[in-house]
Amino acid sequence: MKFRKATEKDLPAMIALLNDDKLGSTRENIGSNDYEKYQAAFLKIKSDSNQNLMVVESETGEILGTFQLSFIQYLTYTGGMRAQVEAVRVRKDQRGSGLGTLMFDWIIRYSKENGAHLLQLTTDKRRPEAISFYEKLGFTSSHEGMKLHF
């Protein structure tokens, strides 16, 4: 298993992973004419040194998972740094294999190595399996998240 920064050639597989669940399928436009929007977002993320758009690749070169790990500098916690992980996806045929745990082992280690004192994530309340998984990893629901969609 190889963890590496995503390249533009990985984008179709990553979009497919984002689309491959009941919530993602309602907001991703796989097969649409919106590929250029994904491509522009990818290039913008790639150009930001605080962003890590990652893929997990099998020994045969297949993309098995993806996530975005961001580092956020802030003033609180005496000028602390936090890491935020989003868009965590494991390919459907790999779910339950332990890949998600391996991904989080890597994410936690990388976050600590890069100076973060905290790793945070959000997950939709309609994903009870994901919430249970994150709780087993030691995450706690310590804050109430709120969003304002435009």
Side-chain angles (χ1 to χ4, degrees), residues 67-145:
F67 57 90
Q68 182 173 345
L69 183 61
S70 305
F71 289 92
I72 305 165
Q73 184 69 61
Y74 53 103
L75 289 176
T76 58
Y77 288 89
T78 319
M81 171 104 62
R82 69 180 57 202
Q84 179 162 317
V85 65
E86 293 289 337
V88 177
R89 298 293 191 280
V90 172
R91 201 171 74 185
K92 194 174 279 185
D93 66 341
Q94 297 296 309
R95 294 178 194 155
S97 71
L99 178 59
T101 301
L102 289 174
M103 288 168 65
F104 271 90
D105 288 345
W106 188 95
I107 290 165
I108 292 166
R109 185 177 63 254
Y110 189 84
S111 297
K112 288 178 180 179
E113 288 171 358
N114 284 276
H117 72 94
L118 170 87
L119 175 62
Q120 66 185 22
L121 58 81
T122 61
T123 191
D124 196 293
K125 291 179 180 183
R126 295 172 289 176
R127 295 180 192 264
E129 299 87 3
I131 293 168
S132 177
F133 172 71
Y134 296 136
E135 288 172 342
K136 287 177 186 170
L137 292 174
F139 286 86
T140 60
S141 181
S142 63
H143 291 67
E144 186 70 26

Side-chain angles (χ1 to χ4, degrees), residues 37-54:
K37 291 178 185 177
Y38 287 109
Q39 192 173 36
F42 174 84
L43 294 173
K44 190 172 185 177
I45 293 165
K46 184 179 174 186
S47 72
D48 183 341
S49 63
N50 292 309
Q51 304 292 326
N52 297 276
L53 196 51
M54 304 295 295

